[in-house]
Amino acid sequence: MTRTFAFDLDAFRKDLDGIAIEDNPALVKQKSRDFFWYSPILKGQLEHVTGDLVATPKDEAEVIRILKAAFAHDVPVTPRGGGTGNYGQAMPLSRGLILNLAEMNKVKAIHPGRVICEPGAIIAQIDKETRAHSGQELRLHPSTYATASIAGYVAGGSGGVGSIRWGGLRDIGNVLRLRVVTMEAEPRILELTGWELHKVMHAYGTNGIITEVEMPLTAAYDWVDVLVGFDQWMDTVRYCDALGNADGLLLKEIAAIAAPVPHTYFLRHQKFIPEGKSVAVLMVAPHAMDAFLAFTARAKGEVLFRADTAADPKGLPPAYELAWNHTTLRALRVDPSITYIQTMFAPPTHIEKIETITRLFGDEVPGHLEFVRFDGKITPMGLSLIRHTTNERLEEIMRLHEENGCPIFNPHRYTLEEGGMKQTDLVQLDFKREADPKGLLNPGKMIAWEDPSFDFAAQKTYLFPGLQQTG
Amino acid sequence: MTRTFAFDLDAFRKDLDGIAIEDNPALVKQKSRDFFWYSPILKGQLEHVTGDLVATPKDEAEVIRILKAAFAHDVPVTPRGGGTGNYGQAMPLSRGLILNLAEMNKVKAIHPGRVICEPGAIIAQIDKETRAHSGQELRLHPSTYATASIAGYVAGGSGGVGSIRWGGLRDIGNVLRLRVVTMEAEPRILELTGWELHKVMHAYGTNGIITEVEMPLTAAYDWVDVLVGFDQWMDTVRYCDALGNADGLLLKEIAAIAAPVPHTYFLRHQKFIPEGKSVAVLMVAPHAMDAFLAFTARAKGEVLFRADTAADPKGLPPAYELAWNHTTLRALRVDPSITYIQTMFAPPTHIEKIETITRLFGDEVPGHLEFVRFDGKITPMGLSLIRHTTNERLEEIMRLHEENGCPIFNPHRYTLEEGGMKQTDLVQLDFKREADPKGLLNPGKMIAWEDPSFDFAAQKTYLFPGLQQTG
């Protein structure tokens, strides 16, 4: 099944009269990109992708006008927040309109335990306002805290800093309510709560446009960034695992990163990190520091850096910008051949699995683990770095992970299914049928819609026929 | 080894001049008791126990004067908070002085994430002040929230409401600092943090007198009391287990209580609870209610009661007064023959173990589980009720639990070791040697001190030779 979109751009534009529009090709291309280039495979596939126009609505009424016009003119619409995704989530594979939600960025209301925002609100700005209002902050944020939008995070992210305490975005309770506009002749406004949220969460905007987000808040603290070093990688892993399971110690982030990554790629922290050290990157509640230090001393961890007593921590990036995909970013900046994979080391045999993978690949796949709660259990998620040689070897590395019981969430694919559970998400598909009957929202990202007969078991990469041609 | 204490009470009294003293035998006996009578075995052993005097210091200087005088005159000293223990923790087995810390009850300072209190501060009062100050509350509290003192909880408790999120008191980080006065010729003041806290935590005041407590705080919410009913006990268990493992749902309390206990013994909630229903007793964060209700509906749980929408919830006890040892108390009030045991159903086979125990005993041992975090994992702790017949059968029920892989923390013993891990705690013993060289603090509670040759493997009950005789 080949999908193409033919539309009259000028006629569509006329319907957008009064709405902020950008059509300078260089600026449109800038707003058509995310961090897809972390992946050498996506870099090859998506480098040329661009939209035709960028529309920047100032409120929900304008969003509805835009969607109505796009529906009438069969124009593909790809929503965009901060553009901080890594899998082409916000990239318009079939050209059309970029729906830039950056100007809908207000924090609308703050209550005990919850905040209501416009979709383009920047996560760090939300925290700034909720902290000032009542000492509260979001439970979870990506390492792109300073630039990511809240709806982009909900639509394209899965977890991050805070997941050690709260699990992932998909865990019920971590998003409270989404207001969504459908892509129909007469767009409807829906309010989703409870299980219904799964219809549009992590759907890349393929089946509705989020115009309001209600998120839970938790107590804000002046988290202390700490780096703890070990001579042995597996000691770092065991330390992080035990730390995550220490129920009385309040931490917001626990990552383990194998030598030589920390010394070699964390340039601004380099002076604190001896070359051979594997490092735990941590964010610790200030009132937990005494107990944390006692715990760490008993585990024979060496505190290499702590921001609360550091002589001059001002020029240093925050700990969360050493973690999650910022680890990858810092490595890429020094060595552009680096890429990464995402995997999971499921308990109770997580330690053994990590040992196996470490033995199998050594420094070709430097360890990077993010410890999170998953179904109630502390679970190391791998965001392992890869010293990339060929795409074939990259596929082989992923295959060897799966053969050793470590499922891959493939960051080298632009579709929802291949990057996730490798199966059709019927809840999301059904909602797309209802909310985007013409399939105009972010085309090419949901295989179940584009090619219902696609065989996930065949291990072949899905190539969206509607992907615009190079040049 | 027999221990007796001979002392000149009048001479001792003279040294206490200016300190509030009570010697009316009826009032002294009242202050010599706790809730030991939950246990038919302890009831027989301890019913007659009383001290000679009660001293009520108003500050740490008076505590030091009292300890100095007691050391000089060889007077046993048993500290007392709210007297809400269940194992005779605060009962003076060898007479002597009751050190009543009830008047040292001030909240001294509140900071982000922590509170500093005097030892006798009532837990509910601490929360009242920290809530008013900055929307904070203690992480953990016993079901005797309204009457228990903070130092009594630390010295004699193990966990409670909030343990589903934070684990137990002994988990590092759940107590931040204790200030302790030793029982020596010249009492010393020690400040304990980190692992050192274990020297005096859950030591029943056998090796030091706590004069200041620093505890971590968390965000306070207007927790919603909810009762969820099921026709099947095991469905209740599985629901609570899944709820505890739902990382995005913020709850402060999850208990599962088997039919017919809820209907029969929760008299003021009886109209909400059909007779055959097993019940989950829950405290849910208000902002989690939508997600919680969606979760519960999918699990086919029937919401029998929720305090946030109940017509007239004013006359009802709070949910936490249906849980922990208040479950036992409510049963005892209706049927005085009821008692209880404490056990643990360790994951990953916790569900199977609960099924086995349920099959083995049926309604002789009605199920009561408190779900807590234990070493990072959601773990059902049994506070099972017992329809008591004979002490022999009670011992047999406990033995059968242990034979089926469910360790018993015996609430029918007054010693630290028998109620706990059935082994010597060298950290506590060493600290007693240092801080109470004459063994005057709460005599008879630490077997390791009283009888170093006691054989825990022999399964015989320890009988303290110094226990005052009946009458």
Side-chain angles (χ1 to χ4, degrees), chain A residues 113-114 139 165-167 172-174 176 194-195 217 221 245 247-250 287 291 294-295 298 373-376, chain B residues 113-114 139 165-167 172-174 176 194-195 217 221 245 247-250 287 291 294-295 298 373-376:
Chain A
R114 56 201 178 87
R139 291 176 172 180
R165 205 80 200 159
W166 298 102
I172 191 162
N174 280 335
L176 297 180
W195 297 112
L217 297 174
Y221 297 106
N245 281 287
D247 299 312
L249 290 180
L250 181 59
H287 55 285
F295 181 94
R298 185 171 280 189
R373 275 200 191 284
F374 187 83
D375 281 349
Chain B
R114 57 203 177 87
R139 291 176 173 180
R165 203 82 201 158
W166 298 103
I172 191 161
N174 281 335
L176 297 181
W195 298 111
L217 297 174
Y221 297 107
N245 281 288
D247 299 312
L249 291 180
L250 181 59
H287 55 285
F295 180 94
R298 185 171 279 188
R373 275 200 191 286
F374 187 83
D375 281 349

Side-chain angles (χ1 to χ4, degrees), chain B residues 110-149:
Chain B
I110 303 167
H111 301 287
R114 57 203 177 87
V115 61
I116 300 169
C117 315
E118 290 188 326
I122 299 299
I123 294 180
Q125 180 64 26
I126 298 170
D127 272 7
K128 196 172 159 191
E129 296 190 30
T130 54
R131 277 172 169 261
H133 176 275
S134 43
Q136 301 187 92
E137 66 184 18
L138 293 164
R139 291 176 173 180
L140 306 172
H141 69 74
S143 67
T144 50
Y145 187 56
T147 52
S149 75

Side-chain angles (χ1 to χ4, degrees), chain B residues 228-365:
Chain B
V228 175
F230 292 85
D231 289 330
Q232 299 298 322
W233 165 237
M234 286 309 300
D235 287 342
T236 323
V237 174
R238 276 184 284 264
Y239 165 76
C240 288
D241 190 50
L243 190 58
N245 281 288
D247 299 312
L249 291 180
L250 181 59
L251 284 92
K252 190 168 179 173
E253 166 67 18
I254 301 180
I257 302 171
V261 171
H263 175 85
T264 314
Y265 301 134
F266 295 174
L267 299 182
R268 284 195 276 165
H269 285 87
Q270 198 170 53
K271 62 183 169 190
F272 303 108
I273 307 171
E275 201 169 345
K277 293 283 184 189
S278 293
V279 167
V281 176
L282 310 168
M283 291 168 67
V284 184
H287 55 285
M289 280 301 286
D290 276 359
F292 161 78
L293 292 170
F295 180 94
T296 299
R298 185 171 279 188
K300 300 194 169 39
E302 185 183 344
V303 176
L304 304 175
F305 171 79
R306 50 184 282 198
D308 58 343
T309 58
D312 183 21
K314 289 226 176 59
L316 300 170
Y320 59 79
E321 289 187 359
L322 304 176
W324 293 91
N325 259 330
H326 265 75
T327 313
T328 322
L329 179 62
R330 287 183 192 283
L332 267 170
R333 279 185 186 157
V334 177
D335 179 352
S337 76
I338 293 264
T339 188
Y340 75 118
I341 56 170
Q342 300 176 160
T343 182
M344 172 169 158
F345 301 98
T349 55
H350 49 300
I351 300 292
E352 293 85 335
K353 285 179 191 136
I354 294 165
E355 277 173 334
T356 301
I357 292 296
T358 304
R359 209 163 39 230
L360 211 53
F361 297 109
D363 190 54
E364 185 187 8
V365 183

Side-chain angles (χ1 to χ4, degrees), chain A residues 337-376:
Chain A
S337 76
I338 293 263
T339 187
Y340 75 118
I341 56 171
Q342 299 176 160
T343 183
M344 173 169 156
F345 301 97
T349 56
H350 50 299
I351 301 292
E352 293 86 334
K353 285 179 191 134
I354 295 165
E355 277 173 334
T356 300
I357 292 296
T358 303
R359 210 164 38 230
L360 212 53
F361 297 109
D363 190 55
E364 185 186 8
V365 183
H368 169 198
L369 303 169
E370 293 287 342
F371 286 77
V372 304
R373 275 200 191 284
F374 187 83
D375 281 349

Side-chain angles (χ1 to χ4, degrees), chain B residues 207 425-435 446 449:
Chain B
N207 56 12
D425 184 327
L426 275 178
V427 171
Q428 290 185 353
L429 176 62
D430 285 348
F431 191 63
K432 188 169 174 75
R433 288 188 178 123
E434 179 189 324
M446 188 191 286
W449 175 272

